[in-house]
Amino acid sequence: MKRIAIWLLAALAVVAVVLGIWRPWKSGGDVLAQLTWGEVTRGDLEVVVSSTGTLEAVHAVEVGTQVSGTITEINVDFNDRVAKGQILAVIDTSLLDSALRDAQAGHARAKAQFDQAEADYQARKELFDGGLLSQTEIRGFDTARTAARSSLDSAESQVERARQNRSNAVIRSPIDGVVVERAVEVGQTVAASFSTPRLFLLARDLRDMRILAEVDEGDIGQIRLDQEVGFQVAAQPERSFQGKVRQIRLQPKVDQNVVKYTVVVDAANPDGVLLPGMTATLEFVVERVIDALTVPVAATRIRPNAAMTRLLPAALPAPLPAQPLTRGTQAGAARPPRPEGGAAGSGMPADLRRIFLRDEQGGLTVRMVRVGVTDGRRVEIVPLQGEIAPGAAVV
């Protein structure tokens, strides 16, 4: 029984070895079934730089106060539309009115003193002209008149200052626009001693918005003025908006040792769905290829194993001389990087690759292609040996 069992085990081992060697030769379908397949497609391909930013109104004005006091009246609220010169709020004017009256009284006193000094001078001048008064005496009256004139001018300035402070207690809108922010309430005290407190934020027109986007230093070289930008906001997840780069600010910002630059993007908002403060996810279009033939990036990095090689022609295609890409392109500021390296050990240029396709008979074939731009998921290809039809299966 032991001898029979040994012979049976030996026979099974031989059968397993034979099947292991013979089966791949018998049918390439099993080999092809174990591969991961993609698809050759034709369409537009975009190379983008991603970023995030904050929406804000293009024409926004902070309204503050130059005088201190208690807010006694507020005439507008959030989202109200206002006209230029419209009263937004009023600060308690009791002390300002008192200061104005005091300045006016001082002016009246200075005016009376000047009139008296002027009259004295004119009377003494007649005596001086008649030779009845000395030069020294007339000079004293002239000096008193000049001093009274200076006091009157100073009093007029104090009246004007008090009147202006009284006028500043009435906060008016400097523009036609909409109230985006109201930062005060009735009864609140504002102090303008060292800085101007912000009472309101007005936007001239929310139909024109801008985005302040933060772009990493590694990507800023691919951003240019008037560059097309696509962006989305969380409030409209199914909708894509368009904008253009208006400004690239030179001032760097360092956050956790990461250097970023602020890029200002203009965006139209005709239907008012974009609101100040929203976070936008942006994609700066560096390059766009129109109607290009593309494959998954991984398809250009395949190294055939022994089983695949047995299904291929006897000789793999040799590298061809360099040829320029011919296709519809909207070029960007800089050419994006090519997929890494050529085929390992092939000695091919970095932009020449072999891709492996399923042929019309269901077998495996290899084609030489030149690779172009890539968005990290798909890469543009230009066939160098015949055409490749969209929809073809690629390893």
Side-chain angles (χ1 to χ4, degrees):
M1 288 296 294
K2 290 183 179 180
R3 182 173 298 177
I4 295 175
I6 292 174
W7 279 105
L8 287 175
L9 291 175
L12 290 174
V14 171
V15 170
V17 172
V18 171
L19 288 176
I21 297 176
W22 173 79
R23 188 175 180 183
W25 287 93
K26 176 66 178 177
S27 173
D30 292 343
V31 176
L32 299 182
Q34 296 174 8
L35 300 176
T36 301
W37 294 89
E39 184 180 0
V40 179
T41 60
R42 181 174 291 280
D44 299 344
L45 187 66
E46 288 185 346
V47 180
V48 299
V49 171
S50 298
S51 177
T52 59
T54 304
L55 279 156
E56 63 178 35
V58 174
H59 304 288
V61 178
E62 293 185 2
V63 180
T65 175
Q66 298 181 22
V67 297
S68 302
T70 303
I71 301 293
T72 59
E73 182 180 330
I74 294 180
N75 298 325
V76 295
D77 202 352
F78 292 91
N79 304 338
D80 285 351
R81 299 203 65 85
V82 296
K84 183 177 181 180
Q86 179 178 338
I87 296 177
L88 306 179
V90 177
I91 296 176
D92 182 19
T93 61
S94 57
L95 293 179
L96 299 175
D97 290 336
S98 177
L100 178 58
R101 290 192 299 269
D102 185 60
Q104 290 172 337
H107 177 267
R109 182 169 54 253
K111 180 68 168 58
Q113 291 173 350
F114 171 73
D115 291 343
Q116 180 63 45
E118 179 69 20
D120 291 344
Y121 172 77
Q122 294 299 333
R124 297 316 187 272
K125 189 174 185 303
E126 292 178 0
L127 297 176
F128 175 75
D129 292 339
L132 301 176
L133 205 63
S134 67
Q135 180 70 37
T136 302
E137 291 174 315
I138 191 63
R139 184 181 298 118
F141 286 101
D142 185 38
T143 301
R145 184 186 67 159
T146 302
R149 175 77 260 183
S150 299
S151 298
L152 179 60
D153 291 342
S154 177
E156 289 177 348
S157 298
Q158 291 177 7
V159 170
E160 182 60 29
R161 185 182 303 111
R163 184 177 290 114
Q164 186 62 48
N165 286 337
R166 174 62 176 79
S167 176
N168 289 339
V170 179
I171 312 300
R172 300 179 181 272
S173 173
I175 61 171
D176 296 331
V178 60
V179 179
V180 177
E181 178 183 346
R182 177 172 67 91
V184 290
E185 298 288 347
V186 173
Q188 182 175 340
T189 300
V190 293
S193 301
F194 301 102
S195 62
T196 301
R198 185 167 87 174
L199 309 182
F200 302 93
L201 178 64
L202 307 182
R204 187 184 302 276
D205 192 351
L206 292 181
R207 291 177 296 180
D208 293 322
M209 303 290 287
R210 70 178 182 181
I211 306 171
L212 301 182
E214 303 295 332
V215 179
D216 291 343
E217 60 177 326
D219 297 324
I220 196 65
Q222 302 183 77
I223 308 301
R224 65 189 187 280
L225 296 180
D226 296 326
Q227 185 172 8
E228 183 181 343
V229 183
F231 66 93
Q232 290 183 312
V233 294
Q236 303 285 332
E238 304 299 326
R239 184 173 175 181
S240 181
F241 301 88
Q242 299 298 317
K244 283 190 176 181
V245 175
R246 179 169 62 88
Q247 184 184 59
I248 303 172
R249 295 181 178 175
L250 302 180
Q251 181 184 12
K253 294 183 178 180
V254 181
D255 183 15
Q256 296 181 354
N257 294 327
V258 177
V259 180
K260 296 183 178 181
Y261 293 86
T262 300
V263 177
V264 182
V265 177
D266 284 340
N269 185 31
D271 49 4
V273 297
L274 300 177
L275 303 179
M278 283 184 172
T279 299
T281 303
L282 303 93
E283 291 186 341
F284 297 85
V285 181
V286 177
E287 186 167 2
R288 177 184 291 118
V289 180
I290 301 173
D291 194 32
L293 205 62
T294 66
V295 297
V297 171
T300 64
R301 299 173 180 170
I302 297 299
R303 298 179 60 182
N305 56 26
M308 289 178 61
T309 303
R310 286 193 290 268
L311 301 179
L312 295 171
L316 295 179
L320 298 179
Q323 299 176 2
L325 286 172
T326 303
R327 38 117 168 116
T329 305
Q330 296 179 353
R335 188 80 174 173
R338 306 291 185 184
E340 300 174 358
S346 66
M348 292 190 297
D351 61 345
L352 290 183
R353 302 296 176 83
R354 296 186 181 100
I355 63 172
F356 300 88
L357 305 164
R358 191 190 296 272
D359 59 23
E360 296 179 354
Q361 291 74 35
L364 190 65
T365 186
V366 59
R367 298 289 293 277
M368 185 69 67
V369 298
R370 186 179 303 282
V371 296
V373 300
T374 176
D375 62 1
R377 298 183 299 273
R378 301 191 68 82
V379 59
E380 172 198 12
I381 62 168
V382 175
L384 300 181
Q385 298 166 324
E387 294 294 328
I388 298 177
V394 60
V395 179

